[in-house]
Amino acid sequence: MVASSIFSSLQGPLPPQKMLKLANIYLENAFDTNDPDIALVLCDDTEASLDQAKKSAKQDKDQALTEGITMAYIGLAKLLESLQHFKEAQASFKKAEKLGGGLHDLTLPTDTYRPSSIRNTLHSAGGFQEMGSEKSSLFDQQSGDLGGVSAREEIKDVRVIAEVVLLAPILDKDAFQDLLREFYSGIDQSGLLNIQQLEGLTRLIEGADCDYLCADDLVKLLELLSIRLRDTHLQSSQHMYLMALAVSHVLDAMADTCVMDLDRNKLHEPLSSYLSGLKKSSDPFLAYQAAYAYQALLCVPDDKTTCQTAMRRTGTAISGVSGFVDSLKGGLSIERKSDWYSALRGADALIRDGKHATFRRLVCEAPCRYDPAFQWGICQQLGNIVTDPKWDVVTRRSAIAFLGEIYMNDEMWQVSVKRWILNILMQLASSLFEGSSNLLSASAETLLQELKTNGDARKQALYRACLEDGPVAYPLKVSLPELGSPSLLDRVQNRPDVEVQLRVLRKQRTKERGNTVYIPLQGKASLQAADDTCFPLMYKVKEFLDSDQKVFLLLGDSGAGKSAFSRELEVDLWKSYKSKRDRIPLRINLATIDKPELDMITKQLKRDEFSEPQIRELKHHRRFILICDGYDEI
């Protein structure tokens, strides 16, 4: 790691709480910057601040401070891991584990933890590479252009859907409403249900500002989804579940925007009757989602209802958890409406606003906390936090830990909910969701092992039965694919497409390799090293590539196989290339390049028939693994 710091040193020691706050500031800026060198400097500052705060926490035995430091160490470790500094990342993980004493000791983060900003989300998706103040006006201008581009796309391709959902928050109101209508048309005109399209619509509505949602559009959507829901009886339970989920989100949005006077005979009563039937389904996931949608429908009055009640998406109806809990204790005035639905809406608002500590208190104190539907919904919300990449890794890992706490609490939480928790953890451990990193999968797997011996013989039998049956994949959010290339945002910015040409290069290199038999080479640390110290050369090179070292020099006599190895290495690395986040293997025969010491990357890319704009794009926004052959020939 970089030893120096871009911040001036402190004039005197700070209290441990302020040292932790300073560490989190460093860490937040490290996550925000696009410059890896600056990020490493900020990582050093973070680690130094945490180490100092940790000493005071141990002396004072401050549990809250210790938990805060633990989560900061985990965040630091994840950032170092993304920067390819694996040794330092592992050291931070060990510090966190030593402080935390195990996953189940972690709690949800404090209210200061919020979802990543749109800027960070775009950066992680390969959008704007820099979002400094100098680009803010360009961003505002291009967000309007983006709406026009996305509206012209056929909203059926899953990669288009993924990017549209990601970029929807930057659109203006008119562009967003046009986009919503495009989704409506796509679902209306499709014969078979497109799951990704339906998931895209659900996420659009879920993340939209109330001012962007038009009552007429929502009513039209509800009418369409209601018809499609009743038509899905010939399809799988998964399709029916996703339709019920989409209906739930539309109804939530209608309640938030005070939509009223639904046609009772045409829409309200038929949908209510059908949802009542689905509540009796033998599929517990479908039964819960139908019950939720039914409760949501009660918040949207029909044209013969005199009482209009709606919860605001902004959370203004919740004046702190105490006021919300007190209102529940006093009973609800909505006829036939269950407390658990209102409590779940409140919990959802707290999560969305980043008020996790308050959310935790609501879970533990709500009068309906013993209701199975409330418990089921809370676990679903926690599961969706874990699978949603817009949340930082600390929050997502802590949500896993909270699920573990719930599972271990036999006094309050129902057996059916324990099955749900095990299902969520099994999904995460088996990496069924692209949004779950290796760290999250490992956290879920570790927690599953801890829960194996939890409880009495009956509970352990339940555990074994659930693991034997395996996870049911559909109750959590459907994973949308990575963005296509060129992406919508790339086209708005007029950035050249490079992925097609990279695929051509990959195919060409693989073809050149052909069916030639390759005998794996052995290597040793130096020419003077004993022969019995040899190691597999490919393994050693892969180990080097996973480290933070910059140069690996391979020496050998003429004809020893250095060039053959470099070609084999390039083809092997191309097999691992999956997306624009991966490093591009570029083999350069130095003897064929004129003055390779002067911009050999540009010269090699020209030989590989990349255009000047493509070369600029690759050099500015991509990373390479340079495999230089013939070093002794220049």
Side-chain angles (χ1 to χ4, degrees):
M1 293 173 64
V2 181
S4 59
S5 171
I6 61 174
F7 287 88
S8 59
S9 60
L10 298 170
Q11 299 300 316
L14 289 172
Q17 288 80 5
K18 289 191 176 181
M19 287 303 302
L20 174 58
K21 185 176 181 179
L22 180 63
N24 282 324
I25 292 173
Y26 288 145
L27 187 58
E28 182 179 349
N29 282 280
F31 270 108
D32 281 348
T33 184
N34 298 324
D35 189 320
D37 292 330
I38 294 178
L40 287 173
V41 172
L42 291 166
C43 284
D44 283 332
D45 292 321
T46 302
E47 185 176 24
S49 301
L50 289 175
D51 288 345
Q52 185 171 335
K54 180 177 67 173
K55 293 178 182 177
S56 300
K58 284 185 176 180
Q59 293 173 357
D60 300 340
K61 297 182 179 181
D62 187 330
Q63 183 62 27
L65 177 62
T66 300
E67 290 178 356
I69 296 171
T70 300
M71 289 185 291
Y73 271 127
I74 293 173
L76 175 62
K78 185 57 180 176
L79 177 58
L80 288 168
E81 189 178 59
S82 69
L83 293 170
Q84 309 293 314
H85 284 250
F86 299 108
K87 292 181 181 178
E88 290 86 348
Q90 188 61 32
S92 289
F93 278 131
K94 287 182 178 178
K95 289 180 180 179
E97 290 174 3
K98 190 174 180 180
L99 278 172
L103 287 176
H104 60 274
D105 291 332
L106 289 173
T107 58
L108 281 174
T110 61
D111 289 357
T112 58
Y113 283 83
R114 296 176 182 273
S116 304
S117 63
I118 292 174
R119 174 183 62 184
N120 294 335
T121 306
L122 290 174
H123 172 62
S124 68
F128 285 104
Q129 300 298 324
E130 298 176 8
M131 283 293 293
S133 57
E134 69 278 4
K135 286 204 171 185
S136 59
S137 60
L138 177 65
F139 182 77
D140 293 337
Q141 173 189 344
Q142 292 178 338
S143 67
D145 297 337
L146 180 66
V149 174
S150 61
R152 291 192 300 271
E153 295 288 339
E154 187 177 10
I155 310 293
K156 291 183 178 179
D157 182 88
V158 292
R159 296 188 182 277
V160 173
I161 293 172
E163 187 167 10
V164 163
V165 169
L166 180 69
L167 300 176
I170 70 171
L171 300 178
D172 60 31
K173 182 176 180 179
D174 291 339
F176 179 87
Q177 290 178 345
D178 289 341
L179 184 59
L180 202 60
R181 291 169 191 137
E182 287 291 322
F183 270 91
Y184 173 90
S185 299
I187 295 173
D188 186 30
Q189 296 170 12
S190 62
L192 294 175
L193 183 64
N194 184 321
I195 292 179
Q196 281 78 20
Q197 196 173 58
L198 188 63
E199 177 69 10
L201 173 65
T202 300
R203 295 197 195 180
L204 273 183
I205 295 173
E206 183 183 21
D209 188 285
C210 282
D211 293 338
Y212 277 37
L213 297 172
C214 171
D216 291 341
D217 288 341
L218 290 174
V219 172
K220 283 182 63 179
L221 277 172
L222 184 62
E223 290 175 347
L224 173 63
L225 294 176
S226 178
I227 294 171
R228 295 303 297 264
L229 177 63
R230 296 196 294 273
D231 290 344
T232 55
H233 63 278
L234 297 178
Q235 300 188 41
S236 66
S237 292
Q238 179 180 8
H239 286 76
M240 296 179 71
Y241 171 85
L242 291 172
M243 286 300 304
L245 182 63
V247 167
S248 299
H249 282 297
V250 172
L251 287 168
D252 283 343
M254 294 175 81
D256 293 339
T257 52
C258 298
V259 174
M260 56 192 306
D261 297 335
L262 289 184
D263 190 303
R264 184 169 195 166
N265 297 324
K266 180 181 177 182
L267 184 56
H268 206 285
E269 284 191 349
L271 181 57
S272 175
S273 176
Y274 192 75
L275 290 174
S276 294
L278 288 183
K279 288 193 297 180
K280 302 172 185 177
S281 170
S282 59
D283 183 335
F285 306 110
L286 177 58
Y288 164 75
Q289 201 57 57
Y292 183 97
Y294 182 86
Q295 289 294 318
L297 182 60
L298 295 179
C299 286
V300 184
D302 57 45
D303 51 9
K304 294 181 174 61
T305 302
T306 58
C307 176
Q308 166 68 31
T309 57
M311 296 179 60
R312 294 297 181 185
R313 179 168 300 215
T314 56
T316 54
I318 305 173
S319 56
V321 69
S322 297
F324 186 74
V325 170
D326 289 342
S327 70
L328 290 177
K329 288 178 180 177
L332 295 168
S333 59
I334 305 171
E335 185 181 0
R336 298 178 298 145
K337 190 167 184 293
S338 298
D339 292 6
W340 62 263
Y341 172 77
S342 299
L344 287 177
R345 293 305 315 280
D348 184 62
L350 293 172
I351 290 173
R352 189 169 48 250
D353 292 341
K355 298 179 179 179
H356 295 144
T358 312
F359 162 78
R360 184 185 180 88
R361 187 179 164 200
L362 173 61
V363 171
C364 298
E365 296 183 11
C368 60
R369 60 187 179 275
Y370 295 101
D371 192 306
F374 174 76
Q375 296 181 357
W376 194 279
I378 290 297
C379 291
Q380 188 175 48
Q381 289 175 344
L382 289 169
N384 286 332
I385 288 175
V386 181
T387 58
D388 191 343
K390 81 180 177 210
W391 291 103
D392 61 85
V393 69
V394 178
T395 300
R396 296 166 75 185
R397 198 177 182 196
S398 297
I400 293 176
F402 197 7
L403 286 169
E405 291 181 37
I406 291 172
Y407 183 89
M408 296 178 192
N409 187 339
D410 296 327
E411 182 179 344
M412 173 177 166
W413 295 84
Q414 305 284 332
V415 173
S416 62
V417 177
K418 306 294 176 69
R419 289 180 178 273
W420 188 192
I421 292 172
L422 290 174
N423 186 69
I424 292 173
L425 294 176
M426 285 189 289
Q427 289 185 66
L428 296 171
S430 58
S431 300
L432 290 178
F433 290 90
E434 294 178 9
S436 62
S437 67
N438 291 334
L439 173 63
L440 296 171
S441 296
S443 298
E445 179 62 36
T446 302
L447 181 55
L448 277 173
Q449 293 301 318
E450 290 183 11
L451 299 180
K452 185 176 183 179
T453 57
N454 178 258
D456 55 20
R458 195 169 157 190
K459 189 174 182 182
Q460 291 177 28
L462 169 69
Y463 177 94
R464 290 191 297 271
C466 288
L467 262 65
E468 185 176 336
D469 292 340
V472 180
Y474 66 80
L476 296 180
K477 288 184 177 179
V478 175
S479 178
L480 295 175
E482 291 186 356
L483 305 186
S485 179
S487 67
L488 299 179
L489 193 57
D490 289 341
R491 277 174 272 170
V492 170
Q493 294 179 286
N494 292 319
R495 287 174 56 179
D497 175 29
V498 295
E499 287 300 322
V500 173
Q501 189 61 29
L502 286 173
R503 286 195 291 271
V504 170
L505 178 60
R506 175 182 180 175
K507 185 176 181 180
Q508 179 183 335
R509 291 291 188 264
T510 304
K511 185 177 180 180
E512 290 173 357
R513 166 69 174 76
N515 296 321
T516 306
V517 176
Y518 174 76
I519 301 175
L521 296 181
Q522 298 287 305
K524 53 185 182 179
S526 67
L527 296 174
Q528 294 75 32
D531 291 341
D532 60 0
T533 62
C534 288
F535 46 76
L537 183 58
M538 185 66 76
Y539 174 81
K540 184 61 68 173
V541 171
K542 293 287 187 66
E543 189 179 70
F544 156 77
L545 291 174
D546 287 337
S547 71
D548 57 356
Q549 295 175 293
K550 302 299 182 184
V551 179
F552 186 100
L553 183 61
L554 180 61
L555 302 175
D557 295 332
S558 178
K562 300 185 300 297
S563 295
F565 174 79
S566 68
R567 288 191 291 269
E568 186 70 18
L569 174 63
E570 181 187 27
V571 172
D572 190 75
L573 292 173
W574 270 120
K575 293 177 181 176
S576 302
Y577 181 84
K578 303 297 182 185
S579 71
K580 61 179 67 175
R581 299 186 185 91
D582 297 328
R583 292 176 291 180
I584 301 168
L586 188 65
R587 180 176 175 271
I588 303 175
N589 188 340
L590 296 175
T592 64
I593 300 292
D594 180 41
K595 297 182 179 180
E597 70 276 10
L598 300 176
D599 203 0
M600 64 179 174
I601 295 178
T602 296
K603 293 174 180 178
Q604 180 61 45
L605 290 173
K606 285 182 178 180
R607 289 173 62 88
D608 292 326
E609 300 183 356
F610 285 83
S611 66
E612 289 286 353
Q614 288 175 324
I615 292 172
R616 285 196 298 272
E617 173 71 16
L618 288 169
K619 291 180 67 177
H620 289 167
H621 302 308
R622 299 298 188 88
R623 297 180 301 155
F624 293 90
I625 297 176
L626 298 181
I627 307 170
C628 300
D629 189 21
Y631 184 72
D632 56 342
E633 300 178 30
I634 61 174

